[in-house]
Amino acid sequence: ETEETVKSEVEKAWDAVMVVHDEVMPKMSDLNRLKKELKQDTVKNAEMIDMLTKAQDGMMDWMHNLQPLKTLKTMPEAEAKAYLDGEMTSVSEVKRMMLESIEKAESELQK
C-alpha cells in the first residue's frame, strides 16, 4: 500500500467523525439559549439546566481531546482507524446527549 492510500483511509474515517460533529456543533447556540430561558426559574429547572450543561461540556471536552488529523496521519493506519472508531462512538454519544437535552428542555419550556 502506498502512503497516500493509508492517508486517505484515515482521512475518510476522520471525515465521517467530522460529519457527526458538524451536524450538532451549530446546536451549541440552542443549548445556550435554552439555558438562559430555563434560568428564569432556576429552582424548577435546575435538573434541565444541568442536563444542558453536561451536553455542552461533553461537546467541548470531546473537541478539546480529539487528536488532530495531522497527528493521526503519523500513526499506523490500524491504530489511527481504531482511534477514530472510538471517536465516532464518543461524538455520536455527545450528539445524542445534545439532541435529547434540547428536546427535553424545549418541551419543558412549552408547558
Side-chain angles (χ1 to χ4, degrees):
E1 269 186 29
T2 67
E3 203 174 323
E4 282 309 303
T5 310
V6 172
K7 284 182 184 177
S8 70
E9 283 305 305
V10 171
E11 283 171 347
K12 280 183 210 162
W14 172 270
D15 290 347
V17 167
M18 285 298 115
V19 164
V20 178
H21 164 270
D22 294 349
E23 280 174 15
V24 288
M25 191 59 201
K27 295 194 180 296
M28 289 293 274
S29 59
D30 294 337
L31 294 172
N32 281 325
R33 176 182 53 80
L34 289 163
K35 276 172 62 175
K36 278 191 189 117
E37 289 177 37
L38 289 163
K39 280 183 178 163
Q40 289 163 11
D41 189 349
T42 308
V43 177
K44 187 181 119 203
N45 296 321
E47 202 175 308
M48 231 8 99
I49 292 166
D50 188 49
M51 188 175 64
L52 291 164
T53 301
K54 281 187 177 133
Q56 279 180 312
D57 291 348
M59 176 56 91
M60 297 315 290
D61 291 347
W62 180 82
M63 287 176 15
H64 178 75
N65 293 315
L66 183 67
Q67 292 291 326
L69 180 57
K70 69 178 185 204
T71 302
L72 296 175
K73 286 180 176 182
T74 66
M75 295 162 71
E77 180 185 13
E79 192 181 321
K81 285 185 71 181
Y83 172 81
L84 286 168
D85 286 346
E87 291 306 304
M88 179 59 93
T89 301
S90 298
V91 75
S92 296
E93 176 60 16
V94 167
K95 175 184 174 178
R96 187 198 61 74
M97 280 172 48
M98 287 177 67
L99 296 178
E100 193 175 286
S101 63
I102 288 169
E103 190 182 319
K104 285 182 179 173
E106 285 177 341
S107 88
E108 184 62 37
L109 286 165
Q110 284 165 7
K111 286 181 183 174

